Amino acid sequence: MSPEDWQIVWFTAWVSALSTIVILPFGLAAGVLLARCDWPGKSVVETIISLPLVMPPVATGLILLGLLGRRGALGGFLHGTLHLDIVFTWLGVLVSLCVMSFPLLVRSARVAFEEVNPRLEQIARTMGASDARVFWRITVPLAARGITAGMILAFARALGEFGATIMVAGNIPGQTSTLSLAIFQSVQLGQDRHAFRLLGVSVALAFAAVWTSEYLARRRRGSP
């Protein structure tokens, strides 16, 4: 492993962690709304949130490219007003990872909130606790394991993201190269040994993340 390889590993790990942190408040909000509220069009919202799980990642990347490019609605606004470019920068990697991992966090958060006993929340309210206090002191702690498992799954999904990232951020050495992109490039250049070294690191990180998520899920269900 060369210093360049470790830089790729470090960049992939920290941008994946950052993407998980960025989507956390939105994932919690979406999980609560889907678990506790009913409104017209709820099924449409659920479908839209889940789309990145079933659409080809490159298709999701193409949508983001059209939206965030300088000629896109959002990208043009950001470039014109803030002089901020998303496409082909590390921010493009971040946005791609956020979009692709968000559905996994929402699904886990929704299930976790559905498993919280509403009677415990009602008891806290009868004792004078506000809705915000009940949410942060009762609901979130009881759903914490499920939320944590969802965060780890989202992190693992971000680690392995390829299709949307290469569309939005490209594969610029030292700037947007992630483990998946570096593995692909090594294979394309016939550097199989280098690709397998990076693959080993990628598998180790993904295994650790998924195993931790499954461990928390088993503890939540009370299984040994």
Side-chain angles (χ1 to χ4, degrees):
M1 294 285 287
S2 66
E4 290 78 12
D5 294 336
W6 286 116
Q7 188 275 332
I8 292 172
V9 173
W10 168 247
F11 174 74
T12 304
W14 81 258
V15 78
S16 297
L18 180 59
S19 71
T20 305
I21 294 172
V22 169
I23 66 175
L24 180 58
F26 304 101
L28 292 181
V32 170
L33 289 176
L34 294 176
R36 301 295 179 83
C37 303
D38 288 311
W39 70 89
K42 178 180 177 180
S43 60
V44 176
V45 174
E46 291 175 318
T47 303
I48 292 174
I49 291 175
S50 299
L51 276 179
L53 292 178
V54 295
M55 288 177 58
V58 290
T60 303
L62 184 59
I63 293 172
L64 292 175
L65 185 62
L67 180 65
L68 299 174
R70 289 187 180 182
R71 297 182 180 180
L74 182 56
F77 171 78
L78 292 174
H79 179 74
T81 58
L82 302 177
H83 303 289
L84 179 65
D85 289 322
I86 303 295
V87 174
F88 300 122
T89 69
W90 74 270
L91 290 173
V93 179
L94 178 64
V95 171
S96 300
L97 302 190
C98 287
V99 170
M100 297 304 297
S101 59
F102 184 70
L104 291 175
L105 177 59
V106 173
R107 283 173 171 260
S108 296
R110 177 181 181 176
V111 172
F113 287 127
E114 287 176 342
E115 291 179 348
V116 174
N117 190 341
R119 291 186 59 188
L120 299 176
E121 298 170 317
Q122 187 60 38
I123 291 172
R125 291 190 182 94
T126 59
M127 297 177 66
S130 64
D131 288 341
R133 187 177 179 85
V134 169
F135 179 75
W136 292 111
R137 290 298 186 91
I138 305 296
T139 309
V140 170
L142 291 176
R145 287 181 180 173
I147 294 170
T148 304
M151 291 175 62
I152 296 171
L153 278 179
F155 173 74
R157 178 65 184 86
L159 284 175
E161 165 53 28
F162 174 81
T165 304
I166 200 168
M167 290 292 292
V168 177
N171 185 21
I172 305 173
Q175 297 186 43
T176 65
S177 290
T178 63
L179 274 171
S180 297
L181 299 180
I183 291 171
F184 175 78
Q185 183 180 40
S186 295
V187 172
Q188 291 292 101
L189 296 175
Q191 300 171 350
D192 291 349
R193 294 184 62 183
H194 183 244
F196 277 107
R197 283 198 298 270
L198 295 176
L199 174 63
V201 176
S202 180
V203 169
L205 291 173
F207 179 88
V210 174
W211 184 89
T212 303
S213 177
E214 290 297 321
Y215 173 75
L216 291 173
R218 289 195 303 270
R219 290 194 62 182
R220 188 172 75 250
R221 295 191 298 264
S223 302

